[in-house]
Structures are given as C-alpha cells and as structure tokens.
Amino acid sequence: MAPANPFDWTYLELCGALNDISYHVVYAVGDLPHNLWNILAASLGMRDRVLAPGDMTFHIGLADWLFVQNREIMVSLIAATLLLMFSLINVLMFIWVERKLLARFMDRRGPMVAGPFGLLQNVWDGMKLMTKENAHPARADMFAFFLCPVILVGSAFAAAGALPMSPKVQIASIDLDLLWVLMLFAFSPYAIFLGGWASYNKFSLIGGMRSAAQMLAGEVPFFLSVGGVILITGSFRFADIVAWQDAHGWLIHEEVSWRGEPGHPGATTVTLWPLRASGIAIFSMNIPA
Amino acid sequence: MWINIGPQHPSTHGLWDLRIKVNGEVIVDSDPQVGYLHRSVEKICERKEFIMAMPMTERLCYVANMNWTHLYVHAVEKLMNVEVPDRAKWIRVMVCEMNRVASHLFWLGAFVHDIGNLTMFLWPIREREYVLDLLEYITGARMMYNYPRIGGQVKDVDDKFLRRSKVVMDMILERTFEYEKMLDESDMFGVRTKGVGVIDRAMAKNAGLTGPALRACGVDFDVRKATPYWAYGEVDFEVPVYDEGDCFARYRVRLEEIRESCKIVKQCADRMPEGEFIGKAPRVAPKTYAWVRHEDPRGESMCFIMGTGGKNAYRVKFRSPAFVNISALPIMLLGYKIPDVPAVMGSIDVCIGEVDR
Amino acid sequence: MLPPGAPPVPVSTLPPAPECVELAARIEEAFKGKVKAAKAMNPLNPGIQKELNVFVDVATDHKALPDLWRWLRDKEGFDHCSLVVAIDHMDRIEVKHLLFSYTSHITVETSATLDRIDPLMPSASLAWRGANWLEREQFDLMGVKFVDHPDLRRVLLPDDWIGHPLRKDYEFRQAGEWW
C-alpha cells in the first residue's frame, strides 16, 4: 500500500498516517472527548445525539470529515505548517550560527555560555524582540510603513515553498521554479524603498534609496551564478535540478572559475548571497553606497 | 543644501553639530557648531579654591582625565612655584601615559566602529578595561580619578601596581600587532581611509592643528620632546611621524603612539624612584600668571592661570586641542563625499567635554 | 590687580637663554618705537626642563600688531598660534596671543591693553587660521571685538545670548536669560 520509505510518500499517504495517529491519540486520551460531547449534547437538549459509552462513531466521523472529505484543506494546512516550520527553524539556525561565530571573533560572552551550545541565546533574543515597542514616525503612512517588513519576510518565506521536501512532496512547485524564486528576491529593493518613502522623513528616504541601490547592485552576481545552474541542468524546476544532480553528481563540483580552476565561486555565491540580502555584512554590504 | 550631522548622531562621538553644505553627495563647505556641552568651567574655577576646582577639570575631557587634571595642577604649581618630588613626577608620567593608552584605545574602537568594523570596536575596549582596572586599583575610580594634588599625588603607588602594569602593557603591546594586521591588510578599511580627509603640511601648521593629526602631516612636533616636563626628558621613546596627512596616517600615528606609551609605562615602572609622593604647597597664589603646555592625547593642551593673592584664581583659560582641530575640519572635508564624514570626524579624535568646557 | 605692562613672573634669577635674548633684540630693532617692550624671560619652572619665552608688550598701540604678527610668521618662523586669552582687569581688558615656533621652540607672548567699554583690536586670524576659533571664543565669552576677523560670531554660547559671561561684572539671571 504505502511505500516503506516515508520520503516516498505523497500527501495522500501523509494524511492517512495522520489519520491513524489521531485515532490512536483519541483512543489514548480516552473518555474526555466522549464526556465533553455528552455534556454538550445533554445541555442543548439533543437526547438522540448522546453517545453510549464505548461508542466511537463521533471520533471516527470527525477524522473522516477532516482527512477524507476535506482532504484539500488539510493538505493545504499541512503544507503551510511545513513551510513555516522549515523557514522559521532555518532562520533560527542561521542566527545561531552567526551569533556563535561573531561571539568567537568579537570575544562576546552570551552565545558561548547561555545554554547548551549557546542555544538559549536564541530564546532570549526572540523574547527581547517580542517585548520591543513598535515605534513609527508620527506622520508616516501606517499601511505602507508596516507593509515593508511584511513584503520582505513574506517573499522570503514564499520562496521556501518552492523547495522540494521529498521527491513526491513539493509545496508550491511549478515548471519555472527558479524564475519564481528570483522574482521573489526581486521584491526586496522595492520593499525597502517603500519603507523609506512611507516614513515622513527625508533622511529615511535617502537611506531607503541607498539600501535599495545596494540590494539591486547585489542581484547581478547572484543571477549570473544561478544562470550557470540553469545552463548546465537544462531546466528551471527544482525537482529536475535535484534529479540531474542525483544522476550526474553534485553541481558544486562542476562550478569552476573562468580559468577552469575548481574555485567554486558560483557555489559560494549562490549559498551566501541571500545572507547578504538579509543585511549581514559580507560581499561589501555595509559599505555605504 | 545644508545638512546637519548631529547634534544627536551616533558617529559624532559627542554632542556637537556638523553642518555641511552638499552639492548632491559632494561637500562644498562646512560649519561646525559646538557649545552644546558648555558648562562655563572657566568661570566656575574662578569661584573655587585651587584644589576644589580640580574635579572640574576632570570633566573637561572625560576620556583622558589624568592628562587634564595634571595639566591644571601643574599650572597652579608653576604659579605658586611649588617643587614636586621626583617620585611624584615619575608617577605622573606613568599615570598620564596609561591614560593616553586608554584614550587612544577608546578612540580606535570608536573610529573603526564608524567605518563598519565591529570586531575592532570590541578588542580595544577589552584592552582598555585592563588599564581601567589598574587605575581603579590605585585611585578607586574607573574614570573620574581625582588623583593629583597641588605638590604631588593624593596616594602612593605600590609594587603590586608596578608589576601588574608591566604585565598589562606587555599584553597591550602584543595586541597592537593584531590590530595592525586586522586593519592594514583590510581592503575595505584602506579604501575608506587612505586618501580621505587629506590636509597638507603648511595648511595644517597654519590652522593650529596639533597632536597626532599634525604628526600625520609630516611635522615632527611633540610637546614631550620640545619642552619636556616632569620626567619626560629622562624617558626613552620615539615620536611617530607620517607624511600623507590622511585618515590612515592619523590612525597609524595613534597606533604607534600606543606602543610608545606602553614602553614609557614599563620604563617608569622599572625606574620609579623612592621618596615622597607629595610636597608642601601654599594655599594662596601670588598676584601673577603662568601657563603650562602639555601633550594631551588629542594635541597640545595649555592651561593659563592668573592668581589674585588669595585662595582663588582670577582667570583660568584652557586651550583645548580638539577645539582647534574641529576648526580645521572644514579644510579636511572640502571636496569629499558624505560617507567620508564619519571617517574624517573620527580620525580627528574629538572629545566634546574639552571642546565646550 | 597686575599693573599694566607687568611681565610674567615668577622669574628665575638665572639669565634667559641666548636665542630668546637675540629674538627680543631683533623685535626691538624691527619695531622700534611701535612696541613698548620686548623682553626675554626665564620663568621659574618647577617640573619643566626647557622653556623659552619672549614677552612683547604693545599696550594700547595696536597698529603695530598685524605687522608684528606677519613678521614673526614669515621672517622668524612662528607657524603656530597656541593661545588667545583675554583677561578682565576691572579697569581694562588685556589680550594675550601666544605664538610658537616649531623649529626654535620659542614662545612669544604679545600682550595688548584694551579699553573696557569698547574693546577693539586687530585679529591674528589673518596671519594664522588657528587663531580664528580662539578669537571667536574670546569674543563670545569676554566681548573683545577683533577687527577684520572674517567670521566673528558666538561659538560656545547660543547665537542669541546677551552679555559676555566671563566679565567680572556679569550678573547671573540678567535680562535676556530665560532659564
């Protein structure tokens, strides 16, 4: 029925597994939902809906309603959860790595001593960010001002949707995956400029223009190195690129410098350039334009 | 278009306003506005007795306190013709040089922080903490030391301090080579500081620029060598002089001055003479005037003091090197772009406490 | 207070250095009659190993000052204007300019006496740009007006301040101060 390796499951098999798990969870929890349902039905005066003890029709009906009849909605919910989890944990891990490296370079104490491997530092940073005040200029255009980070983060998370989670499961994959992701990256300069424009302040405007110029200038090397991938694998789809690498060996060994030396400049660029777009000071990011 | 950089701005290192006239991105004129921190120290010093006015001078340049308090006390001693014992002279040299090291380290951190190099901000500050710990050991305070008195020092230094200071200065001397490697081999730092904020020799001398900024233009003038005071005539050190006159030369001069000051402190610790650390001083000053010239970490600082025959001063005037260096800033900014402003402002080493008094 | 023309004391009994004596003689010769006194001093120096001072008193005859300054800068190599200080004796204002030579390490102190009600004097900022802000500060705090100063405005106090605080008869909380 379902393939043995979970990485070969489709959404159908995934939903089936969740159905089984929920059945077992309900059985383990036992009488509680049964009693709650009985209290609800009795208080509303619906005597014919009250269940006898040991009667599981309600729970099976609920699971059936969720996972079989409304399959599409559950699939979308699972996809959205996977996407958010992947993106957020990715962000956490990148921040943790950056903090650890900076702590070693700059002789900082926090990430070296807080928690095992400095992981609690992330927790404290998150809590600190949550408790900060949402300040804004008095005469700024509120909608556009708060839209700027929404576009930035939203486009980055949406780009994570094009990544293949397994050979059968892709959240939002199309024939022109790579083009779709590059288009999402192209939103960043626009969003930053929008934020600068929306604050009622000529210094913010100048700053927004300069940041947007830096982002735009950074797109060219990135697109060039991605172009190498497209030409070699012959396809824009991520699944096809992965399949090509499965068959022919990893592209990181193929990317060479223009003199033919295995310098991996393209691979380095493609891996680290999105970090530059998020403001980390590599590849001349912090140099004022 | 006139743009204000300040008065509240993270890279001005103090409360002052640099108004620049820009044509697009290029600076065509500038007009620094100081005085936000004016506390009328000179007027207050006229109302207080000499030693009571000494804590006022501490707050003049709060990063290099020892140099300013000792300057004032030296001027009062010259006015009253008080002889200071040898041990006090050597202690003064040692402590002033340690404060010069601390001030230059702090300057280095703030300067490269503005350029964008955050790692090099934390390393000198960490070194400065060791120096501040040493000074806290003898004076009890990290910043407002209140250490000199008319005729000497308030407390003696002991052997533990001398031993520890040698260890700390050795460590700082080693680490300046790390800073050098980090910054000299950095292309980014070079692009932002080499050839930026150039001032030529004749203009620098005429504009009253003194201190490391002048030595970076090729003029070999250091008050400690020209008119030596206390024990500077007997201590062996060199004065670094560079020729280019840009921000990078000013940074190199100060980095090498840190090394020279470390050597001076080690020599003082070895050669500290025994004896009294304070001499007798009268309470009233004669009806005359005197002035004294010192080498502050920022340049040539002077204190002019006139006595009345009573316990107060009649007129006190401090010549602050940063005040005159800021007045030379418009010359250095002409023709450069807005992003060069933090680099040039930082390389002048401004401490607004002494500019505004 | 100090009578006009008083030299800087305390003065040592040792004779002053020969280069100071020669410089004082050259000043006397070049500005005969225009300068009231030019003396080489050897002040008592507790703690200073080497100090070369020459004191030049111009008193109220200020016309000689710009020529003197330019002569010192061009002929004698005094490149640096160290200090400008104005002192309010109750009956007059005395302004000192301290000039320094990087080559010979001599400090020349020129002293001018000004009328207290309308203190005017020529500006050294035409000879040394470094004196520009120093003179602005003395205008700001003491009220000394330097004729032909290129930019005589207040530097430390706000631009609309009334009065000159370092004068001895400055009253605190006088009209014009609002805090």
Side-chain angles (χ1 to χ4, degrees), chain B residues 210-231:
Chain B
T210 48
L214 186 65
R215 291 196 275 280
C217 295
V219 178
D220 184 6
F221 170 62
D222 189 328
V223 178
R224 298 173 288 176
K225 292 279 195 198
T227 55
Y229 50 98
W230 299 331

mmCIF file with all atom_site columns, all heavy atoms in Angstrom, chain B residues 210-231:
data_model
loop_
_atom_site.group_PDB
_atom_site.id
_atom_site.type_symbol
_atom_site.label_atom_id
_atom_site.label_alt_id
_atom_site.label_comp_id
_atom_site.label_asym_id
_atom_site.label_entity_id
_atom_site.label_seq_id
_atom_site.pdbx_PDB_ins_code
_atom_site.Cartn_x
_atom_site.Cartn_y
_atom_site.Cartn_z
_atom_site.occupancy
_atom_site.B_iso_or_equiv
_atom_site.pdbx_formal_charge
_atom_site.auth_seq_id
_atom_site.auth_comp_id
_atom_site.auth_asym_id
_atom_site.auth_atom_id
_atom_site.pdbx_PDB_model_num
ATOM 1   N N   . THR B 1 210 ? 47.180 70.317 16.010 1.00 0.00 ? 210 THR B N   1
ATOM 2   C CA  . THR B 1 210 ? 48.300 69.805 16.794 1.00 0.00 ? 210 THR B CA  1
ATOM 3   C C   . THR B 1 210 ? 48.051 68.342 17.100 1.00 0.00 ? 210 THR B C   1
ATOM 4   O O   . THR B 1 210 ? 46.983 67.821 16.879 1.00 0.00 ? 210 THR B O   1
ATOM 5   C CB  . THR B 1 210 ? 48.448 70.555 18.134 1.00 0.00 ? 210 THR B CB  1
ATOM 6   O OG1 . THR B 1 210 ? 47.169 70.626 18.737 1.00 0.00 ? 210 THR B OG1 1
ATOM 7   C CG2 . THR B 1 210 ? 49.021 71.920 17.940 1.00 0.00 ? 210 THR B CG2 1
ATOM 8   N N   . GLY B 1 211 ? 49.065 67.712 17.645 1.00 0.00 ? 211 GLY B N   1
ATOM 9   C CA  . GLY B 1 211 ? 48.885 66.354 18.104 1.00 0.00 ? 211 GLY B CA  1
ATOM 10  C C   . GLY B 1 211 ? 49.069 65.340 16.985 1.00 0.00 ? 211 GLY B C   1
ATOM 11  O O   . GLY B 1 211 ? 49.787 65.585 16.019 1.00 0.00 ? 211 GLY B O   1
ATOM 12  N N   . PRO B 1 212 ? 48.439 64.173 17.122 1.00 0.00 ? 212 PRO B N   1
ATOM 13  C CA  . PRO B 1 212 ? 48.624 63.134 16.096 1.00 0.00 ? 212 PRO B CA  1
ATOM 14  C C   . PRO B 1 212 ? 48.198 63.595 14.707 1.00 0.00 ? 212 PRO B C   1
ATOM 15  O O   . PRO B 1 212 ? 48.773 63.154 13.715 1.00 0.00 ? 212 PRO B O   1
ATOM 16  C CB  . PRO B 1 212 ? 47.718 62.000 16.595 1.00 0.00 ? 212 PRO B CB  1
ATOM 17  C CG  . PRO B 1 212 ? 47.570 62.226 18.036 1.00 0.00 ? 212 PRO B CG  1
ATOM 18  C CD  . PRO B 1 212 ? 47.639 63.686 18.247 1.00 0.00 ? 212 PRO B CD  1
ATOM 19  N N   . ALA B 1 213 ? 47.213 64.495 14.623 1.00 0.00 ? 213 ALA B N   1
ATOM 20  C CA  . ALA B 1 213 ? 46.801 64.963 13.299 1.00 0.00 ? 213 ALA B CA  1
ATOM 21  C C   . ALA B 1 213 ? 47.926 65.728 12.626 1.00 0.00 ? 213 ALA B C   1
ATOM 22  O O   . ALA B 1 213 ? 48.113 65.636 11.411 1.00 0.00 ? 213 ALA B O   1
ATOM 23  C CB  . ALA B 1 213 ? 45.565 65.838 13.428 1.00 0.00 ? 213 ALA B CB  1
ATOM 24  N N   . LEU B 1 214 ? 48.704 66.502 13.404 1.00 0.00 ? 214 LEU B N   1
ATOM 25  C CA  . LEU B 1 214 ? 49.804 67.255 12.815 1.00 0.00 ? 214 LEU B CA  1
ATOM 26  C C   . LEU B 1 214 ? 50.971 66.329 12.490 1.00 0.00 ? 214 LEU B C   1
ATOM 27  O O   . LEU B 1 214 ? 51.639 66.470 11.469 1.00 0.00 ? 214 LEU B O   1
ATOM 28  C CB  . LEU B 1 214 ? 50.250 68.351 13.788 1.00 0.00 ? 214 LEU B CB  1
ATOM 29  C CG  . LEU B 1 214 ? 51.281 69.315 13.265 1.00 0.00 ? 214 LEU B CG  1
ATOM 30  C CD1 . LEU B 1 214 ? 50.697 70.107 12.130 1.00 0.00 ? 214 LEU B CD1 1
ATOM 31  C CD2 . LEU B 1 214 ? 51.735 70.236 14.371 1.00 0.00 ? 214 LEU B CD2 1
ATOM 32  N N   . ARG B 1 215 ? 51.205 65.340 13.377 1.00 0.00 ? 215 ARG B N   1
ATOM 33  C CA  . ARG B 1 215 ? 52.320 64.437 13.115 1.00 0.00 ? 215 ARG B CA  1
ATOM 34  C C   . ARG B 1 215 ? 52.029 63.564 11.920 1.00 0.00 ? 215 ARG B C   1
ATOM 35  O O   . ARG B 1 215 ? 52.944 63.056 11.281 1.00 0.00 ? 215 ARG B O   1
ATOM 36  C CB  . ARG B 1 215 ? 52.597 63.583 14.351 1.00 0.00 ? 215 ARG B CB  1
ATOM 37  C CG  . ARG B 1 215 ? 53.146 64.394 15.488 1.00 0.00 ? 215 ARG B CG  1
ATOM 38  C CD  . ARG B 1 215 ? 53.759 63.505 16.508 1.00 0.00 ? 215 ARG B CD  1
ATOM 39  N NE  . ARG B 1 215 ? 52.776 62.996 17.436 1.00 0.00 ? 215 ARG B NE  1
ATOM 40  C CZ  . ARG B 1 215 ? 52.299 63.677 18.452 1.00 0.00 ? 215 ARG B CZ  1
ATOM 41  N NH1 . ARG B 1 215 ? 52.724 64.896 18.687 1.00 0.00 ? 215 ARG B NH1 1
ATOM 42  N NH2 . ARG B 1 215 ? 51.399 63.156 19.257 1.00 0.00 ? 215 ARG B NH2 1
ATOM 43  N N   . ALA B 1 216 ? 50.760 63.380 11.571 1.00 0.00 ? 216 ALA B N   1
ATOM 44  C CA  . ALA B 1 216 ? 50.439 62.623 10.368 1.00 0.00 ? 216 ALA B CA  1
ATOM 45  C C   . ALA B 1 216 ? 50.656 63.438 9.112  1.00 0.00 ? 216 ALA B C   1
ATOM 46  O O   . ALA B 1 216 ? 50.559 62.897 8.016  1.00 0.00 ? 216 ALA B O   1
ATOM 47  C CB  . ALA B 1 216 ? 48.981 62.156 10.414 1.00 0.00 ? 216 ALA B CB  1
ATOM 48  N N   . CYS B 1 217 ? 50.899 64.761 9.249  1.00 0.00 ? 217 CYS B N   1
ATOM 49  C CA  . CYS B 1 217 ? 51.156 65.592 8.072  1.00 0.00 ? 217 CYS B CA  1
ATOM 50  C C   . CYS B 1 217 ? 52.630 65.807 7.846  1.00 0.00 ? 217 CYS B C   1
ATOM 51  O O   . CYS B 1 217 ? 53.007 66.525 6.937  1.00 0.00 ? 217 CYS B O   1
ATOM 52  C CB  . CYS B 1 217 ? 50.524 66.967 8.250  1.00 0.00 ? 217 CYS B CB  1
ATOM 53  S SG  . CYS B 1 217 ? 48.760 66.918 8.321  1.00 0.00 ? 217 CYS B SG  1
ATOM 54  N N   . GLY B 1 218 ? 53.468 65.249 8.687  1.00 0.00 ? 218 GLY B N   1
ATOM 55  C CA  . GLY B 1 218 ? 54.892 65.368 8.466  1.00 0.00 ? 218 GLY B CA  1
ATOM 56  C C   . GLY B 1 218 ? 55.601 66.355 9.358  1.00 0.00 ? 218 GLY B C   1
ATOM 57  O O   . GLY B 1 218 ? 56.791 66.570 9.175  1.00 0.00 ? 218 GLY B O   1
ATOM 58  N N   . VAL B 1 219 ? 54.944 66.955 10.339 1.00 0.00 ? 219 VAL B N   1
ATOM 59  C CA  . VAL B 1 219 ? 55.603 67.907 11.230 1.00 0.00 ? 219 VAL B CA  1
ATOM 60  C C   . VAL B 1 219 ? 55.988 67.166 12.493 1.00 0.00 ? 219 VAL B C   1
ATOM 61  O O   . VAL B 1 219 ? 55.141 66.621 13.191 1.00 0.00 ? 219 VAL B O   1
ATOM 62  C CB  . VAL B 1 219 ? 54.647 69.068 11.585 1.00 0.00 ? 219 VAL B CB  1
ATOM 63  C CG1 . VAL B 1 219 ? 55.320 70.013 12.526 1.00 0.00 ? 219 VAL B CG1 1
ATOM 64  C CG2 . VAL B 1 219 ? 54.222 69.768 10.332 1.00 0.00 ? 219 VAL B CG2 1
ATOM 65  N N   . ASP B 1 220 ? 57.261 67.159 12.805 1.00 0.00 ? 220 ASP B N   1
ATOM 66  C CA  . ASP B 1 220 ? 57.733 66.400 13.951 1.00 0.00 ? 220 ASP B CA  1
ATOM 67  C C   . ASP B 1 220 ? 57.678 67.285 15.182 1.00 0.00 ? 220 ASP B C   1
ATOM 68  O O   . ASP B 1 220 ? 58.681 67.878 15.576 1.00 0.00 ? 220 ASP B O   1
ATOM 69  C CB  . ASP B 1 220 ? 59.165 65.938 13.667 1.00 0.00 ? 220 ASP B CB  1
ATOM 70  C CG  . ASP B 1 220 ? 59.690 65.054 14.767 1.00 0.00 ? 220 ASP B CG  1
ATOM 71  O OD1 . ASP B 1 220 ? 58.926 64.712 15.681 1.00 0.00 ? 220 ASP B OD1 1
ATOM 72  O OD2 . ASP B 1 220 ? 60.875 64.705 14.694 1.00 0.00 ? 220 ASP B OD2 1
ATOM 73  N N   . PHE B 1 221 ? 56.510 67.431 15.781 1.00 0.00 ? 221 PHE B N   1
ATOM 74  C CA  . PHE B 1 221 ? 56.375 68.277 16.952 1.00 0.00 ? 221 PHE B CA  1
ATOM 75  C C   . PHE B 1 221 ? 55.631 67.511 18.014 1.00 0.00 ? 221 PHE B C   1
ATOM 76  O O   . PHE B 1 221 ? 54.489 67.116 17.820 1.00 0.00 ? 221 PHE B O   1
ATOM 77  C CB  . PHE B 1 221 ? 55.621 69.557 16.616 1.00 0.00 ? 221 PHE B CB  1
ATOM 78  C CG  . PHE B 1 221 ? 55.247 70.360 17.829 1.00 0.00 ? 221 PHE B CG  1
ATOM 79  C CD1 . PHE B 1 221 ? 56.220 70.863 18.656 1.00 0.00 ? 221 PHE B CD1 1
ATOM 80  C CD2 . PHE B 1 221 ? 53.929 70.600 18.137 1.00 0.00 ? 221 PHE B CD2 1
ATOM 81  C CE1 . PHE B 1 221 ? 55.890 71.593 19.774 1.00 0.00 ? 221 PHE B CE1 1
ATOM 82  C CE2 . PHE B 1 221 ? 53.577 71.333 19.257 1.00 0.00 ? 221 PHE B CE2 1
ATOM 83  C CZ  . PHE B 1 221 ? 54.555 71.825 20.075 1.00 0.00 ? 221 PHE B CZ  1
ATOM 84  N N   . ASP B 1 222 ? 56.279 67.300 19.142 1.00 0.00 ? 222 ASP B N   1
ATOM 85  C CA  . ASP B 1 222 ? 55.633 66.681 20.286 1.00 0.00 ? 222 ASP B CA  1
ATOM 86  C C   . ASP B 1 222 ? 56.084 67.470 21.504 1.00 0.00 ? 222 ASP B C   1
ATOM 87  O O   . ASP B 1 222 ? 57.278 67.642 21.721 1.00 0.00 ? 222 ASP B O   1
ATOM 88  C CB  . ASP B 1 222 ? 56.072 65.213 20.385 1.00 0.00 ? 222 ASP B CB  1
ATOM 89  C CG  . ASP B 1 222 ? 55.281 64.440 21.421 1.00 0.00 ? 222 ASP B CG  1
ATOM 90  O OD1 . ASP B 1 222 ? 54.861 65.032 22.427 1.00 0.00 ? 222 ASP B OD1 1
ATOM 91  O OD2 . ASP B 1 222 ? 55.091 63.240 21.215 1.00 0.00 ? 222 ASP B OD2 1
ATOM 92  N N   . VAL B 1 223 ? 55.145 67.947 22.288 1.00 0.00 ? 223 VAL B N   1
ATOM 93  C CA  . VAL B 1 223 ? 55.488 68.804 23.422 1.00 0.00 ? 223 VAL B CA  1
ATOM 94  C C   . VAL B 1 223 ? 56.388 68.067 24.400 1.00 0.00 ? 223 VAL B C   1
ATOM 95  O O   . VAL B 1 223 ? 57.243 68.662 25.050 1.00 0.00 ? 223 VAL B O   1
ATOM 96  C CB  . VAL B 1 223 ? 54.195 69.277 24.131 1.00 0.00 ? 223 VAL B CB  1
ATOM 97  C CG1 . VAL B 1 223 ? 54.514 70.116 25.332 1.00 0.00 ? 223 VAL B CG1 1
ATOM 98  C CG2 . VAL B 1 223 ? 53.330 70.037 23.178 1.00 0.00 ? 223 VAL B CG2 1
ATOM 99  N N   . ARG B 1 224 ? 56.225 66.743 24.452 1.00 0.00 ? 224 ARG B N   1
ATOM 100 C CA  . ARG B 1 224 ? 57.055 66.000 25.394 1.00 0.00 ? 224 ARG B CA  1
ATOM 101 C C   . ARG B 1 224 ? 58.517 66.012 24.996 1.00 0.00 ? 224 ARG B C   1
ATOM 102 O O   . ARG B 1 224 ? 59.391 65.810 25.824 1.00 0.00 ? 224 ARG B O   1
ATOM 103 C CB  . ARG B 1 224 ? 56.553 64.558 25.475 1.00 0.00 ? 224 ARG B CB  1
ATOM 104 C CG  . ARG B 1 224 ? 55.142 64.440 25.974 1.00 0.00 ? 224 ARG B CG  1
ATOM 105 C CD  . ARG B 1 224 ? 54.655 63.029 25.865 1.00 0.00 ? 224 ARG B CD  1
ATOM 106 N NE  . ARG B 1 224 ? 54.405 62.651 24.500 1.00 0.00 ? 224 ARG B NE  1
ATOM 107 C CZ  . ARG B 1 224 ? 54.050 61.441 24.120 1.00 0.00 ? 224 ARG B CZ  1
ATOM 108 N NH1 . ARG B 1 224 ? 53.904 60.484 25.012 1.00 0.00 ? 224 ARG B NH1 1
ATOM 109 N NH2 . ARG B 1 224 ? 53.829 61.163 22.849 1.00 0.00 ? 224 ARG B NH2 1
ATOM 110 N N   . LYS B 1 225 ? 58.786 66.198 23.682 1.00 0.00 ? 225 LYS B N   1
ATOM 111 C CA  . LYS B 1 225 ? 60.174 66.275 23.255 1.00 0.00 ? 225 LYS B CA  1
ATOM 112 C C   . LYS B 1 225 ? 60.651 67.716 23.133 1.00 0.00 ? 225 LYS B C   1
ATOM 113 O O   . LYS B 1 225 ? 61.808 68.006 23.364 1.00 0.00 ? 225 LYS B O   1
ATOM 114 C CB  . LYS B 1 225 ? 60.342 65.606 21.879 1.00 0.00 ? 225 LYS B CB  1
ATOM 115 C CG  . LYS B 1 225 ? 60.155 64.138 21.868 1.00 0.00 ? 225 LYS B CG  1
ATOM 116 C CD  . LYS B 1 225 ? 61.396 63.447 22.337 1.00 0.00 ? 225 LYS B CD  1
ATOM 117 C CE  . LYS B 1 225 ? 61.344 61.983 21.992 1.00 0.00 ? 225 LYS B CE  1
ATOM 118 N NZ  . LYS B 1 225 ? 62.286 61.196 22.751 1.00 0.00 ? 225 LYS B NZ  1
ATOM 119 N N   . ALA B 1 226 ? 59.755 68.636 22.766 1.00 0.00 ? 226 ALA B N   1
ATOM 120 C CA  . ALA B 1 226 ? 60.189 70.020 22.523 1.00 0.00 ? 226 ALA B CA  1
ATOM 121 C C   . ALA B 1 226 ? 60.426 70.751 23.841 1.00 0.00 ? 226 ALA B C   1
ATOM 122 O O   . ALA B 1 226 ? 61.484 71.341 24.035 1.00 0.00 ? 226 ALA B O   1
ATOM 123 C CB  . ALA B 1 226 ? 59.125 70.744 21.706 1.00 0.00 ? 226 ALA B CB  1
ATOM 124 N N   . THR B 1 227 ? 59.425 70.752 24.713 1.00 0.00 ? 227 THR B N   1
ATOM 125 C CA  . THR B 1 227 ? 59.588 71.391 26.014 1.00 0.00 ? 227 THR B CA  1
ATOM 126 C C   . THR B 1 227 ? 59.278 70.347 27.071 1.00 0.00 ? 227 THR B C   1
ATOM 127 O O   . THR B 1 227 ? 58.190 70.323 27.637 1.00 0.00 ? 227 THR B O   1
ATOM 128 C CB  . THR B 1 227 ? 58.621 72.585 26.171 1.00 0.00 ? 227 THR B CB  1
ATOM 129 O OG1 . THR B 1 227 ? 57.304 72.105 25.939 1.00 0.00 ? 227 THR B OG1 1
ATOM 130 C CG2 . THR B 1 227 ? 58.930 73.666 25.191 1.00 0.00 ? 227 THR B CG2 1
ATOM 131 N N   . PRO B 1 228 ? 60.235 69.463 27.348 1.00 0.00 ? 228 PRO B N   1
ATOM 132 C CA  . PRO B 1 228 ? 59.914 68.335 28.227 1.00 0.00 ? 228 PRO B CA  1
ATOM 133 C C   . PRO B 1 228 ? 59.598 68.783 29.647 1.00 0.00 ? 228 PRO B C   1
ATOM 134 O O   . PRO B 1 228 ? 60.176 69.728 30.168 1.00 0.00 ? 228 PRO B O   1
ATOM 135 C CB  . PRO B 1 228 ? 61.173 67.479 28.196 1.00 0.00 ? 228 PRO B CB  1
ATOM 136 C CG  . PRO B 1 228 ? 62.185 68.203 27.450 1.00 0.00 ? 228 PRO B CG  1
ATOM 137 C CD  . PRO B 1 228 ? 61.613 69.447 26.891 1.00 0.00 ? 228 PRO B CD  1
ATOM 138 N N   . TYR B 1 229 ? 58.648 68.094 30.262 1.00 0.00 ? 229 TYR B N   1
ATOM 139 C CA  . TYR B 1 229 ? 58.243 68.418 31.616 1.00 0.00 ? 229 TYR B CA  1
ATOM 140 C C   . TYR B 1 229 ? 58.241 67.131 32.427 1.00 0.00 ? 229 TYR B C   1
ATOM 141 O O   . TYR B 1 229 ? 58.243 66.045 31.877 1.00 0.00 ? 229 TYR B O   1
ATOM 142 C CB  . TYR B 1 229 ? 56.867 69.084 31.625 1.00 0.00 ? 229 TYR B CB  1
ATOM 143 C CG  . TYR B 1 229 ? 55.804 68.352 30.839 1.00 0.00 ? 229 TYR B CG  1
ATOM 144 C CD1 . TYR B 1 229 ? 54.901 67.509 31.457 1.00 0.00 ? 229 TYR B CD1 1
ATOM 145 C CD2 . TYR B 1 229 ? 55.694 68.529 29.460 1.00 0.00 ? 229 TYR B CD2 1
ATOM 146 C CE1 . TYR B 1 229 ? 53.928 66.855 30.739 1.00 0.00 ? 229 TYR B CE1 1
ATOM 147 C CE2 . TYR B 1 229 ? 54.728 67.880 28.744 1.00 0.00 ? 229 TYR B CE2 1
ATOM 148 C CZ  . TYR B 1 229 ? 53.851 67.053 29.386 1.00 0.00 ? 229 TYR B CZ  1
ATOM 149 O OH  . TYR B 1 229 ? 52.882 66.398 28.675 1.00 0.00 ? 229 TYR B OH  1
ATOM 150 N N   . TRP B 1 230 ? 58.255 67.259 33.734 1.00 0.00 ? 230 TRP B N   1
ATOM 151 C CA  . TRP B 1 230 ? 58.337 66.130 34.653 1.00 0.00 ? 230 TRP B CA  1
ATOM 152 C C   . TRP B 1 230 ? 59.509 65.224 34.278 1.00 0.00 ? 230 TRP B C   1
ATOM 153 O O   . TRP B 1 230 ? 60.627 65.645 34.201 1.00 0.00 ? 230 TRP B O   1
ATOM 154 C CB  . TRP B 1 230 ? 57.022 65.348 34.729 1.00 0.00 ? 230 TRP B CB  1
ATOM 155 C CG  . TRP B 1 230 ? 55.882 66.155 35.200 1.00 0.00 ? 230 TRP B CG  1
ATOM 156 C CD1 . TRP B 1 230 ? 55.931 67.239 36.044 1.00 0.00 ? 230 TRP B CD1 1
ATOM 157 C CD2 . TRP B 1 230 ? 54.520 65.978 34.854 1.00 0.00 ? 230 TRP B CD2 1
ATOM 158 N NE1 . TRP B 1 230 ? 54.676 67.726 36.230 1.00 0.00 ? 230 TRP B NE1 1
ATOM 159 C CE2 . TRP B 1 230 ? 53.792 66.968 35.520 1.00 0.00 ? 230 TRP B CE2 1
ATOM 160 C CE3 . TRP B 1 230 ? 53.840 65.071 34.061 1.00 0.00 ? 230 TRP B CE3 1
ATOM 161 C CZ2 . TRP B 1 230 ? 52.415 67.068 35.419 1.00 0.00 ? 230 TRP B CZ2 1
ATOM 162 C CZ3 . TRP B 1 230 ? 52.478 65.168 33.959 1.00 0.00 ? 230 TRP B CZ3 1
ATOM 163 C CH2 . TRP B 1 230 ? 51.777 66.162 34.646 1.00 0.00 ? 230 TRP B CH2 1
ATOM 164 N N   . ALA B 1 231 ? 59.211 63.945 34.058 1.00 0.00 ? 231 ALA B N   1
ATOM 165 C CA  . ALA B 1 231 ? 60.320 63.025 33.793 1.00 0.00 ? 231 ALA B CA  1
ATOM 166 C C   . ALA B 1 231 ? 60.446 62.668 32.323 1.00 0.00 ? 231 ALA B C   1
ATOM 167 O O   . ALA B 1 231 ? 61.126 61.716 31.981 1.00 0.00 ? 231 ALA B O   1
ATOM 168 C CB  . ALA B 1 231 ? 60.108 61.746 34.600 1.00 0.00 ? 231 ALA B CB  1
#
